[in-house]
Amino acid sequence: MRIRGGARTDVGLVRRRNEDSFLVRERLFAVADGMGGHRGGNVASSLALDTVATTVPATGATAEDLVDAVRSANGAVLERALADPELEGMGTTLTAMLMRGDEGLVAHVGDSRAYLFRDGELRQVTEDHTLVRRMVVEGRLTPEEAEVHPARSILTRALGVEPEVDVDREAVSLRDGDRLLLCTDGLTGMVPEEGIRETLRREPDPQAAADALVAAAVAAGGEDNVTVLVLDALPDGDENEAGLPVAAAAEVAEGPRAAAPSPPREPRGQALATAAALRLRELPWRRLAAWAGAVATAAAVVVVGVRLYVDRQWYVGAAAGHVAVYQGIPADVAGIRLSHVTAVTRVRAAQAERLQPWHQLFQGITAPSERAALGIVQQIRADVATAARLGRAAGPAAASGVPGAGPAPTPSPTASPSR
Ligand code: CA
């Protein structure tokens, strides 16, 4: 089986730079969608693909080799991010496919996607590592709602954020005539799957299909960088090519829409294209950073780490009138709560909130870890107990609101985040 493919990337209409990259090599194909910082996104996606290209053995590579290469890419991006303050917080998605015999081996992290187009039907091979996807699995959103949700590009996994990364792997047994699509969310965020399927049906030539898909994303608003690889599985024929014609890839890299300097041409079979542009990716991220900033003290911690900090944040707040520990950040994104309660105490939130150090309770007191959050809870409990003792000593009037010391006060309906 051989692969004939087409590739295109485009900055889109909104971003200034293209932070997507793609890799086309003998039997090895990948897309990466970088994010973070002034130039970090571009560096992250191209460095990740460079690492994969140089790490996967040229011949006889296995699924394990591919996953190892993705892990190496994670390490390379993280190391670079830590070494250069300008690149701090950068990260990237990566969806790679290695042809091994008649199998397409897929390794994947993030929300770029691999699809199999077979017999006119389109099937997503990869699972999105996004917050909205998780909410779909939990039954809190429908797939349709998730596809258009404003918070849809918040990732739960990416490369370059933590020393260890969990890499998804899939294997697709390919038949002659199958078509694989690798793309960044600049396509899937702008063009419904129905439209993608129709285009793949309509355009038999893989390069024409890639061009048409990118054109459709741009026509739909081009809010993000868009990158598309279309790979056709063909019976072993006469000669040559396992990979894309280099001319196509080079043309992509130097396309007229690319605003940033184009990378030098790579030797045949090594066309690693980094095009130029920026943004849908940054939007939710920026909004989140703004919210996190509003929540204050831990903003510096929050801003590290692309968009997946949501899972790594903790705070102490109020749940059902009691002091509680939350995982996530104390904010909503377009109606989606970015946190959930992990523990509720018996300490009344209204009592804690009256004490000077805990005035911020209803807005959420952020903590770098669960342990730290529990430490805050302990301190609150101790302070409330102390206040109760002092209140009792001072007499019933001052003790109002303390358990067992007279009638409980009316819970304040203004105990809301707007306080
Ligand atoms: Ca993107």
Side-chain angles (χ1 to χ4, degrees), residues 20 33 185-186 224-225 281:
D20 286 357
D33 179 351
D185 72 335
D224 197 1
N225 308 148
R281 197 119 231 158

Side-chain angles (χ1 to χ4, degrees), residues 29-318:
F29 310 92
V31 297
D33 179 351
M35 65 208 108
H38 177 56
R39 62 192 176 93
N42 196 354
V43 172
S45 64
S46 57
L47 175 59
L49 292 191
D50 235 341
T51 306
V52 168
T54 52
T55 309
V56 172
T59 56
T62 64
E64 203 52 46
D65 291 331
L66 183 63
V67 170
D68 283 349
V70 175
R71 292 203 187 103
S72 299
N74 178 60
V77 175
L78 181 59
E79 196 177 308
R80 186 80 168 271
L82 294 175
D84 184 345
E86 272 193 44
L87 301 176
E88 188 183 334
M90 73 175 177
T92 184
T93 73
L94 199 160
T95 301
M97 197 197 67
L98 173 70
M99 283 294 298
R100 183 175 164 85
D102 289 351
E103 263 195 329
L105 305 170
V106 176
H108 163 74
V109 174
D111 67 350
S112 298
R113 292 180 181 175
Y115 285 95
L116 173 64
F117 180 71
R118 172 182 287 169
D119 300 332
E121 294 306 319
L122 192 64
R123 176 171 75 82
Q124 188 177 340
V125 174
T126 49
E127 172 93 8
D128 294 347
H129 300 141
T130 59
L131 186 68
V132 292
R133 177 60 200 162
R134 185 188 301 167
M135 297 182 79
V136 167
V137 171
E138 291 170 356
R140 295 153 75 195
L141 280 182
T142 67
E144 293 72 29
E145 287 167 339
E147 286 294 323
V148 296
H149 202 281
R152 65 180 177 266
S153 41
I154 296 174
L155 294 183
T156 53
R157 245 193 260 177
L159 294 190
V161 179
E162 290 179 355
E164 298 296 325
V165 66
D166 196 8
V167 181
D168 282 0
R169 59 178 87 186
E170 304 287 339
V172 183
S173 290
L174 294 174
R175 305 179 199 154
D176 293 343
D178 278 352
R179 177 169 262 193
L180 285 149
L181 168 67
L182 302 187
C183 61
T184 59
D185 72 335
L187 175 68
T188 49
M190 303 304 302
V191 182
E193 284 187 358
E194 181 72 27
I196 295 174
R197 188 169 57 223
E198 282 315 307
T199 303
L200 291 174
R201 230 177 238 163
R202 195 178 64 232
E203 295 285 356
D205 177 71
Q207 185 61 53
D211 292 348
L213 287 171
V214 168
V218 173
E223 290 175 18
D224 197 1
N225 308 148
V226 51
T227 301
V228 172
L229 302 191
V230 176
L231 308 168
D232 286 349
L234 302 173
D236 275 319
D238 24 69
E239 20 58 278
N240 59 23
E241 84 218 296
L244 295 189
V246 170
E251 178 195 328
V252 169
E254 297 165 8
R257 306 184 61 92
S262 301
R265 269 171 206 247
E266 300 283 342
R268 178 172 179 80
Q270 293 253 352
L272 174 64
T274 311
L278 177 154
R279 241 175 200 69
L280 184 66
R281 197 119 231 158
E282 260 173 38
L283 270 180
W285 164 235
R286 278 197 183 149
R287 268 184 233 140
L288 283 175
W291 294 318
V295 189
T297 48
V301 176
V302 165
V303 174
V304 177
V306 202
R307 303 168 300 174
L308 8 116
Y309 62 89
V310 168
D311 273 355
R312 293 184 292 149
Q313 295 303 310
W314 297 83
Y315 70 97
V316 178

